[in-house]
Amino acid sequence: MQNQDRLARSAVIVVRIALWANRLFLLGVTLALLLSFVFSANLAAIVAHELPGTDVPSAMTGVRLLVLLGFAMSLVTDRLLVTLAAITESASAGDPFVAVNARRLQKIGWCLFTMQLFEIPGALIAKNFPSMGSAAPSGDISIGGWIAVLMVFVLARVFAAGSAMRDDLEGTI
């Protein structure tokens, strides 16, 4: 039992670190997007110098769209990590099988679902802005990602059923 408690406490720390790292990333992509407009001429000169023959306006538009996609993904990741932090704190406190955690798992499922859907604009950016080269996202569909979405929704149902059974049992005692 002590190892499980240590694991739960460690998970809380890891999730908090990931949350703050994601928020730093969010700040970074926000600044990158803003600065790409403020220093547009400088950025265009760098792209033209580093990648001769590149369609510079197209590459810059593609990069801005990619940064905007990163911003949106980071917002969804923030919601996911905040929710995961609440679950790990509940587990660390010793009471993970409660109805609120079932709802939290469902929220995480929706966040993961949304992140899988972000592959669509990623693929469109890669297709429509070939001047970005290797900076463009792959646009590949992640079978593992979709399985994770399904798994989290199933776990949310398991948690909901388990907490309802536990509530029923406590009501009979």
Side-chain angles (χ1 to χ4, degrees), residues 19-74:
L19 181 60
W20 285 108
N22 182 68
R23 288 181 176 169
L24 285 174
F25 177 78
L26 180 60
L27 178 63
V29 294
T30 303
L31 287 174
L33 187 60
L34 293 174
L35 293 175
S36 77
F37 288 104
V38 173
F39 297 106
S40 183
N42 299 43
L43 183 58
I46 291 169
V47 170
H49 179 265
E50 293 294 323
L51 303 167
T54 299
D55 179 4
V56 175
S58 175
M60 289 182 58
T61 300
V63 167
R64 286 178 178 141
L65 288 172
L66 190 59
V67 170
L68 193 58
L69 181 61
F71 177 82
M73 290 179 79
S74 186

Side-chain angles (χ1 to χ4, degrees), residues 19 22-23 42 45 89 95 97 106 112 142 158 162-163 172:
L19 181 60
N22 182 68
R23 288 181 176 169
N42 299 43
E89 287 170 8
D95 197 17
F97 296 104
Q106 190 171 39
L112 290 173
S142 169
V158 168
S163 68
T172 60

